[in-house]
Amino acid sequence: MTDAAFARQPSQSRSRAIVKTVCYRLFMFAITAGVAFLVTGAAGEALSIGVATNLLKTGTYYVYERAWAHVTWGVDVR
């Protein structure tokens, strides 16, 4: 991989990445809590599982998204 594959400046704003992260995590929270409810049959446990996993995943997704914002590989930069 060459140095040209990495951008020096992010190609999207931080606020855009934050909004994308929050929207995605809300969607994933609903899926996680729904699956947890089907497995446990308990709404309280399902919500606890949904909250715990999605708080951790929100931070990791934001870091992942910001890292990819610096990679120009596969992006047409005309």
Side-chain angles (χ1 to χ4, degrees), residues 9-76:
Q9 296 295 320
S11 59
Q12 67 178 339
S13 69
R14 283 190 170 88
S15 59
R16 175 182 158 86
I18 290 170
V19 169
K20 284 175 60 180
T21 300
V22 170
C23 290
Y24 179 79
R25 291 317 320 162
L26 288 172
F27 181 61
M28 291 291 93
F29 170 79
I31 291 172
T32 302
V35 170
F37 179 74
L38 290 174
V39 171
T40 66
E45 288 180 29
L47 290 175
S48 293
I49 291 168
V51 168
T53 59
N54 283 283
L55 284 176
L56 176 62
K57 290 178 180 180
T58 297
T60 57
Y61 178 80
Y62 177 78
V63 171
Y64 179 81
E65 184 71 21
R66 294 302 298 159
W68 270 101
H70 293 277
V71 178
T72 58
W73 171 78
V75 176
D76 188 10

